[in-house]
C-alpha cells in the first residue's frame, strides 16, 4: 500500500490528552507515552514549566490546564478562575499562566463543574483566548457547560472531551474505556480522550496506544482536530 493510500484509509482520528501534569516528579514518565500525545499542565506547579518545555521541544501539543470552580468547592490551586473574580482578574490570571508556558496552544478546564455553567465567566475566558489566538477544550465536567456556546459567540476554536479513560485505576477499566474510545472514533471519525499521569494509566496506555493503528485509527495532536489558521505556534524554549 502506498503512503497516500494508507493515510487515506486511516480517516478516523483520536487525540489523547494527559491532564494534571506538573505536581509530581513522576509526571515525567507520561512524556514517554508513544505517539502524538497532547499534554495539559496545571499552572504554577513544581514541575509544570520544566515538563511543558520538554513536551513542547519534542513537538507535542501543550495546553494549560486551568483550575476552575467546582460544584463541590474542592481546593483549586494556583492560577484558578472562580465566580467571585471580575473580567480584569480573569485576564490577569490567564496572562500569568501563559507567561509561564507561552507556547501553549490553548486551555482546558481542571474541574470547573460550577464555573463552566456560568456564561459570563466563560465569555471572559473566551475573550482572552480570542485575543491571543488560542483554543479551548471543554473537559466537560458538567453536562450543562456554557463553554462551547461562549466560544462560538467569540469565535474561539472549541471541542469537547468524549471519553475519560481512567476514572478507575484498574487495567480492566482503562482497557474498557479505551475500547469505547476506539468504537466512538470509528462511529464519528474523531474522538477526544482525557487521562491522567497515574502509573496504572501509563502502564495500560503504553500497551494499548500502539493498537490504534490496527483499528485504522490515527493518534493525532489535539490541534489537528481543530480548524485553526492562526493558532499559537510551538516555539522551542530552554528550561
Amino acid at each position: 500500500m502506498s503512503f497516500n493510500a494508507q493515510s487515506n484509509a486511516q480517516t478516523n482520528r483520536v487525540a489523547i490528552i494527559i491532564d494534571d501534569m506538573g505536581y509530581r516528579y513522576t509526571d515525567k514518565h507520561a512524556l514517554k507515552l508513544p505517539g502524538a500525545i497532547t499534554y495539559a499542565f496545571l499552572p504554577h506547579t513544581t514541575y509544570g514549566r520544566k515538563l511543558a518545555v520538554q513536551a513542547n521541544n519534542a513537538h507535542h501539543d501543550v495546553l494549560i490546564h486551568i483550575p476552575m470552580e467546582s460544584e463541590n468547592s474542592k481546593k483549586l490551586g494556583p492560577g484558578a478562575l472562580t465566580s467571585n473574580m471580575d473580567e480584569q482578574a480573569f485576564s490577569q490570571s490567564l496572562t500569568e499562566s501563559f507567561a509561564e508556558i507561552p507556547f501553549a496552544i490553548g486551555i482546558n478546564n481542571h474541574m470547573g463543574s460550577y464555573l463552566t455553567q456560568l456564561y459570563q465567566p466563560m465569555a471572559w475566558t473566551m475573550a482572552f483566548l480570542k485575543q491571543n489566538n488560542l483554543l479551548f477544550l471543554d473537559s466537560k465536567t458538567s453536562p450543562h457547560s456554557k463553554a462551547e456556546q461562549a466560544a462560538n459567540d467569540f469565535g474561539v476554536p472549541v471541542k469537547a472531551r468524549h471519553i475519560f479513560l481512567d476514572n478507575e485505576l484498574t487495567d480492566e477499566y482503562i482497557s474498557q474505556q479505551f475500547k469505547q474510545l476506539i468504537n466512538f472514533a470509528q462511529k464519528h471519525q474523531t474522538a477526544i480522550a482525557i487521562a491522567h499521569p497515574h502509573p496504572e494509566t501509563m502502564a495500560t496506555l503504553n500497551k494499548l496506544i500502539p493498537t490504534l493503528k490496527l483499528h485504522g485509527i490515527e493518534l493525532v495532536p489535539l490541534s489537528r482536530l481543530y480548524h485553526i489558521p492562526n493558532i499559537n505556534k510551538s516555539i522551542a524554549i530552554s528550561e
Side-chain angles (χ1 to χ4, degrees):
M1 183 184 283
S2 72
F3 175 77
N4 284 340
Q6 186 174 12
S7 61
N8 286 338
Q10 292 189 335
T11 52
N12 300 330
R13 296 178 299 169
V14 157
I16 297 175
I17 296 90
I18 304 298
D19 272 358
D20 292 1
M21 294 283 290
Y23 268 123
R24 295 163 297 268
Y25 178 71
T26 52
D27 291 351
K28 66 179 184 176
H29 298 308
L31 298 180
K32 296 187 178 126
L33 284 170
I37 300 291
T38 298
Y39 296 95
F41 292 87
L42 289 155
H44 317 302
T45 49
T46 308
Y47 302 101
R49 177 178 161 78
K50 178 175 179 168
L51 295 179
V53 166
Q54 290 176 16
N56 180 64
N57 288 347
H59 308 293
H60 290 279
D61 276 0
V62 168
L63 300 175
I64 303 183
H65 193 40
I66 298 291
M68 294 186 186
E69 188 175 347
S70 65
E71 288 187 317
N72 55 17
S73 303
K74 279 188 180 172
K75 187 180 175 193
L76 295 169
L81 302 178
T82 62
S83 57
N84 62 2
M85 293 164 65
D86 62 15
E87 182 171 13
Q88 185 179 358
F90 265 61
S91 181
Q92 180 66 25
S93 179
L94 288 166
T95 298
E96 289 169 1
S97 295
F98 276 91
E100 181 186 46
I101 306 177
F103 45 80
I105 61 170
I107 71 173
N108 70 330
N109 54 298
H110 173 58
M111 297 192 275
S113 54
Y114 179 67
L115 197 76
T116 59
Q117 293 184 52
L118 305 177
Y119 182 83
Q120 188 62 73
M122 289 300 95
W124 292 337
T125 303
M126 299 312 162
F128 175 90
L129 297 179
K130 177 65 175 176
Q131 187 178 356
N132 293 282
N133 293 321
L134 298 163
L135 61 80
F136 187 80
L137 172 67
D138 192 346
S139 304
K140 222 58 198 279
T141 53
S142 166
H144 308 296
S145 172
K146 300 275 200 312
E148 189 165 357
Q149 179 191 337
N152 288 331
D153 289 347
F154 281 80
V156 171
V158 62
K159 298 280 180 190
R161 181 268 320 160
H162 301 114
I163 310 274
F164 277 123
L165 292 176
D166 57 351
N167 282 342
E168 295 176 26
L169 294 178
T170 65
D171 181 77
E172 182 183 14
Y173 178 86
I174 297 165
S175 299
Q176 170 193 314
Q177 292 300 100
F178 201 87
K179 190 173 181 182
Q180 274 196 38
L181 176 66
I182 288 169
N183 292 340
F184 191 98
Q186 289 175 332
K187 185 174 180 182
H188 300 281
Q189 285 71 60
T190 62
I192 297 171
I194 287 177
H196 303 85
H198 304 298
E200 299 88 343
T201 305
M202 296 304 102
T204 302
L205 289 186
N206 270 306
K207 184 174 62 178
L208 292 179
I209 286 170
T211 69
L212 284 172
K213 58 187 171 199
L214 303 177
H215 298 276
I217 295 171
E218 182 186 6
L219 177 64
V220 299
L222 179 67
S223 58
R224 285 267 304 278
L225 301 183
Y226 286 70
H227 300 291
I228 33 181
N230 299 313
I231 202 67
N232 190 16
K233 297 297 182 193
S234 288
I235 48 172
I237 192 166
S238 64
E239 294 168 32

